[in-house]
Amino acid sequence: MKLADNKATLSFSNGSPSVEMPVYQGSIGPDVIDIRKLYAQTGMFTYDPGFLSTASCQSAITYIDGDKGELLYRGYPIEQLATQCDYLDTCYLLLKGDLPNATQRADFHKLVLDHTMVNEQMQFFLRGFRRDAHPMAVLTGLVGAMSAFYHDSTDINNPQHRDIAAIRLIAKMPTLVAMAYKYGVGQPYMYPRNDLSYSGNFLRMMFGTPCEDYKVNPVLERALDRIFILHADHEQNASTSTVRLCGSSGTNPFAAISAGVACLWGPAHGGANEACLNMLEDIQRQGGVSKVGEFMEKVKDKNSGVKLMGFGHRVYKNYDPRAKLMQETCNEVLKELGLENDPLFKLAKELEKIALEDDYFVSRKLYPNVDFYSGIVQRAMGIPVNLFTGIFALARTVGWIAQLNEMISDPEYKIGRPRQLFTGSVRRDVPPLTAR
């Protein structure tokens, strides 16, 4: 980061002396005011619930301009990456800082695909869960358990260990997610195949059985790969911040990523597409397309308590750039599978139409977001709703690793320690029992 020519001055109305604070500039985006010495100079903290105005780190990985609807991975627009690269190219970019050349690409793809198997004992660990356990509960345990199976790469301060752990996590996450699914439905696990693509291999592990050969549908393969790319990283969101905070204590990479998985589980974050599909199914049960108008009127009524899931975004104040790409993929998948007339998908299309035309939603920029379309695509592909967040975790793993590695390599990084505004009781003495 670059020190700006100007400084920020904090003044007080009570006559306390003013404080000057440095201002730093990034390559693009808002400048930041350096408040690291604020407490030492004033005895005060800043108050920023949710950290909505606080830069917790400097990063060179992902940039979002919510007003413009722009998302860049290492400077490359998401639209170009999603149409010209595959997921493992994107993984290389996020980890290494630039796109691979032909040789680097071949080597990286082979390295990842050659390490997709997991330790055979992990299936016995998996058997300790109930069959009806939520896949995210299972996945949180499995990822955390990797540190017990692969304890030769758990030193977060060792660059070589971090590289090995990164490849293991990226390579084995599809296998773990597929195992969690197969366990829940009572089917035998499918071992990975190194001759398939990353996405094709995952589809086979999910939907193949030992009874017959599984042929990967190229349309579904491309669709899944695009979902992975669009979810690979998203700057300092809740789960990424969790991974950074967890990793700042020096814990091993598998534990830090497991913390990210746990955070992602929440319906306000990674569970948003699951919540979106649940909303569509609720409308369908109430009458389907004929009830969409009535449902949207309830959404407009603040007193109704009805929420519109899959529309709008906390960061994007314009159209989510990932949503347009996912919309195209959605139409391709529905056409390929002959599901254009599926009642739930017709319902989703009607919901989308109203939101894009109604002044209430347009004026508030409540456009369909990536969760709306990705949920529809995954359901069409046969992925159960409760596994949507697991797919998200699989895709986001590389972003978490890149962010974690960047933090560890930053000479300014410290263990995370947020402050608070204390509003509880002042100091008091413990009264004797008879006086309580």
Side-chain angles (χ1 to χ4, degrees), residues 129-139 180 265 274 385-390:
F129 292 97
R130 286 173 54 115
R131 291 276 181 182
D132 60 353
H134 194 289
M136 286 299 283
V138 175
L139 201 57
W265 192 356
E274 181 177 344
V385 174
N386 67 356
L387 197 66
F388 286 0
T389 318

Side-chain angles (χ1 to χ4, degrees), residues 356-376:
L356 292 176
E357 294 176 356
D358 191 305
D359 286 341
Y360 178 90
F361 300 102
V362 173
S363 64
R364 290 165 173 76
K365 298 183 178 179
L366 293 174
Y367 302 114
N369 60 36
V370 69
D371 297 312
F372 180 75
Y373 295 112
S374 67
I376 296 171

Side-chain angles (χ1 to χ4, degrees), residues 2 37 97 116 131 182 186 198 217 250 306 370 376 407 420:
K2 176 186 174 185
K37 296 182 179 179
T116 49
R131 291 276 181 182
K182 288 292 195 184
Y198 189 84
N217 183 318
V306 175
V370 69
I376 296 171
M407 181 196 71
Q420 66 177 16

Side-chain angles (χ1 to χ4, degrees), residues 196-377:
L196 296 175
S197 72
Y198 189 84
S199 299
N201 185 41
F202 179 65
L203 285 171
R204 180 183 171 276
M205 288 191 293
M206 281 284 293
F207 302 117
T209 67
C211 306
E212 57 188 1
D213 290 334
Y214 178 84
K215 186 176 181 181
V216 177
N217 183 318
V219 175
L220 304 188
E221 184 180 21
R222 285 196 302 271
L224 190 62
D225 203 71
R226 179 168 287 188
I227 288 174
F228 291 165
I229 292 172
L230 298 181
H231 290 85
D233 196 52
H234 210 237
E235 207 220 65
Q236 305 308 315
N237 53 80
S239 58
T240 298
S241 299
T242 298
V243 170
R244 278 182 173 262
L245 188 62
C246 185
S248 73
S249 72
T251 192
N252 69 77
F254 303 110
I257 300 305
S258 180
V261 173
C263 179
L264 192 71
W265 192 356
H269 192 8
N273 49 15
E274 181 177 344
C276 177
L277 255 292
N278 289 335
M279 174 194 72
L280 291 175
E281 288 173 349
D282 284 343
I283 300 172
Q284 185 64 28
R285 282 191 291 269
Q286 294 165 16
V289 173
S290 64
K291 295 293 183 179
V292 169
E294 183 181 321
F295 174 80
M296 294 300 255
E297 289 303 316
K298 289 180 181 177
V299 171
K300 295 178 187 180
D301 181 2
K302 294 181 179 178
N303 298 318
S304 71
V306 175
K307 292 184 178 180
L308 181 63
M309 306 302 295
F311 289 76
H313 197 279
R314 184 174 182 178
V315 173
Y316 297 110
K317 304 310 175 188
N318 204 320
Y319 205 86
D320 182 342
R322 303 167 301 170
K324 187 176 186 300
L325 295 160
M326 207 66 250
Q327 182 190 44
E328 295 170 1
T329 298
C330 182
N331 292 329
E332 290 171 5
V333 169
L334 295 183
K335 182 179 179 182
E336 173 68 16
L337 299 176
L339 292 172
E340 300 99 323
N341 294 318
D342 181 277
L344 200 68
F345 299 133
K346 288 180 73 174
L347 170 60
K349 287 291 182 184
E350 184 63 24
L351 207 65
E352 173 193 40
K353 183 174 182 290
I354 292 175
L356 292 176
E357 294 176 356
D358 191 305
D359 286 341
Y360 178 90
F361 300 102
V362 173
S363 64
R364 290 165 173 76
K365 298 183 178 179
L366 293 174
Y367 302 114
N369 60 36
V370 69
D371 297 312
F372 180 75
Y373 295 112
S374 67
I376 296 171
V377 170

